[in-house]
Amino acid sequence: MRALLRAMEVFVTRRIPPAGLRTLSEAGGCAVRLWDSEEPVPRAELLAAVAGKQGLLCLLSDRVDRELLEAAGPSLKVISTMSVGFDHLDLHEIKKRGIRVGYTPDVLTDATAELSVALLLATCRRLPESAEEVKNGGWTTWKPLWMCGYGLSGSTVGIIGLGRIGQAVARRLKPFGVKKFLYTGSRPKTEIAAEFQAEFVPITRLAEEADFVVVTCALTPETQGICNKDFFSRMRKNAVFINTSRGAVVNQEDLYDALVNGQIAAAGLDVTTPEPLPTDHPLLSLKNCVILPHIGSATYTTRNTMSVLAANNLLAGLRGEPMPSELLL
C-alpha cells in the first residue's frame, strides 16, 4: 500500500498552512507539487499542473469545472478542498468521472461563528466608523447622540440557515439578552431549534420581524440571490444585515440601494461577489457598510486544522480508504 501511495502525484494549488504540508510530506513519499505562493495559481498554469495528477488539493477560490477535469484527465481520482463550502466545484462533472471529494466541515464552525458575532457587533455599534473618527479628528467632545447604534438586548435575531455555523452563532448571541430567535431554511429543525427557543418562519416573516439578520446558509440554486430587493424592502429601517456565508446569496446592487435609501440601518459582509471586491465598488463608499476580506475561519488554529483535514482527506482517497470528511455525491 505504501508503494502504491508513493507512486501517486498530487497538485496543491496554494501554500497551505505548515501543518497540512507536513502531513503530506510525511505520507510515505507521496509526490507533491505545490504552487508555493499566497496568491492564486494562474488559470493556464493550473490547467497544465493538474495534467496526469491523481490528486488535487484546492481552495474555495479555485474553480474546478469541466475544463479543469478534462485537463487533468482520467488519472484524477481525488479532489480535496480546504473549505466547508463546495460551490466552486462542478459536482455533476466530478460525479460523472467517479472522482471522490473531501471537504472540511465542523473544524471552522467556531471560528466563523465568532467572526459573525464580531462583525455583527462592529456593524451595529459602528466600531470601524468610530475608530476612523478618532483618527481623522472627528472626535471633538462627548455628544448624546453621536455614533449611536443598536444593541442586542431585547432584540429579535433572524438566522438564515440554522446549520452548524448558524447554531454556533445563536449559541453565542443568546447571552447578550436576545429576546427571540427566528430561523428559516429548507426545513424545520425542531430539536436543534429548541435550544434557543427559535421559531421556524418563512423568509418574508423573518425579514419583517428581525432586528438583526444573520446569513449562514450554504450557497445553492435555491439560496442564490435570496437577499434581494423584496427581502430588503421588508426589513425594518433600524435593522442590521450580516452575511458570512457566500457573497452570491445577496444581490449587492439591491443591498446598496437599501443602505443608501435608508431601508435598513447597516450591513456587515465577510463575503462578496466578486472576491476581492474592487476598491471602487459602491458598497465601499458607504459608512454604514462594514466589509471584511473573507476571514471567517482565519485563526491560526483553525486554518492549520483545516489544512491537516484536507491533507488527510486527500491521502485517504488516494489509498482507497474512507476519508475523515467525504462529500457524498
Side-chain angles (χ1 to χ4, degrees):
M1 185 64 71
R2 186 169 292 275
L4 175 64
L5 183 60
R6 190 172 291 121
M8 297 292 185
E9 295 185 356
V10 303
F11 182 65
V12 181
T13 66
R14 198 80 57 88
R15 186 191 303 149
I16 63 173
L21 288 176
R22 190 162 52 248
T23 298
L24 289 176
S25 66
E26 294 174 354
C30 180
V32 178
R33 180 178 173 189
L34 170 70
W35 179 253
D36 193 12
S37 171
E38 289 288 325
E39 299 303 317
V41 54
R43 183 70 176 179
E45 297 194 39
L46 173 60
L47 295 177
V50 297
K53 299 295 186 294
Q54 284 78 44
L56 174 67
L57 195 158
C58 64
L59 308 187
L60 55 84
S61 52
D62 300 312
R63 192 175 75 256
V64 179
D65 55 10
R66 182 177 179 180
E67 179 187 41
L68 185 144
L69 296 171
E70 289 180 348
S75 62
L76 187 63
K77 303 301 180 187
V78 185
I79 296 170
S80 177
T81 181
M82 195 179 120
S83 65
V84 63
F86 42 84
D87 47 279
H88 57 299
L89 308 179
D90 188 331
L91 298 182
H92 175 71
E93 290 291 334
I94 291 170
K95 183 177 181 180
K96 268 198 331 186
R97 290 164 170 78
I99 298 170
R100 295 174 66 187
V101 176
Y103 70 133
T104 60
D106 300 323
V107 296
L108 49 70
T109 298
D110 287 337
T112 305
E114 290 169 2
L115 187 280
S116 300
V117 173
L119 180 57
L120 189 157
L121 291 170
T123 303
C124 72
R125 294 299 302 272
R126 302 170 69 178
L127 301 190
E129 188 181 353
S130 297
E132 185 59 32
E133 291 297 298
V134 175
K135 294 177 182 179
N136 66 24
W139 182 20
T140 57
T141 185
W142 190 92
K143 307 168 191 176
L145 292 176
W146 190 59
M147 287 297 147
C148 284
Y150 301 95
L152 280 160
S153 183
S155 69
T156 296
V157 172
I159 298 177
I160 300 178
L162 196 66
R164 287 180 293 261
I165 294 173
Q167 294 164 43
V169 168
R171 211 165 277 126
R172 285 160 173 77
L173 289 179
K174 192 174 182 180
F176 281 90
V178 172
K179 182 179 180 181
K180 187 176 184 180
F181 285 101
L182 305 175
Y183 74 102
T184 192
S186 58
R187 57 183 173 80
K189 298 183 176 181
T190 308
E191 290 185 16
I192 292 170
E195 179 183 348
F196 322 105
Q197 293 80 52
E199 183 180 356
F200 182 73
V201 297
I203 193 169
T204 51
R205 183 179 158 197
L206 183 145
E208 291 163 357
E209 297 186 14
D211 300 299
F212 301 94
V213 173
V214 184
V215 185
T216 58
C217 62
L219 176 61
T220 66
E222 291 73 32
T223 62
Q224 184 161 357
I226 57 169
C227 298
N228 53 22
K229 182 177 181 178
D230 178 70
F231 180 86
F232 295 124
S233 70
R234 294 175 183 273
M235 287 180 65
R236 300 179 175 190
K237 292 186 182 299
N238 63 348
V240 174
F241 176 83
I242 302 296
N243 183 21
T244 56
S245 60
R246 286 290 185 268
V249 171
V250 179
N251 183 310
Q252 290 177 169
E253 290 75 19
D254 292 346
L255 175 60
Y256 175 81
D257 290 342
L259 290 167
V260 168
N261 297 325
Q263 286 181 318
I264 65 173
L269 311 174
D270 185 44
V271 287
T272 61
T273 304
E275 293 183 0
L277 199 64
T279 55
D280 61 352
H281 194 282
L283 283 173
L284 292 172
S285 69
L286 303 180
K287 290 184 177 181
N288 60 341
C289 188
V290 179
I291 299 180
L292 304 178
H294 203 149
I295 56 170
S297 62
T299 70
Y300 291 110
T301 299
T302 299
R303 291 286 172 84
N304 267 300
T305 303
M306 288 173 68
S307 72
V308 170
L309 179 53
N312 283 326
N313 282 336
L314 183 70
L315 294 170
L318 293 175
R319 294 176 178 130
E321 298 171 354
M323 293 184 186
S325 292
E326 183 166 0
L327 186 63
L328 300 178
L329 305 181

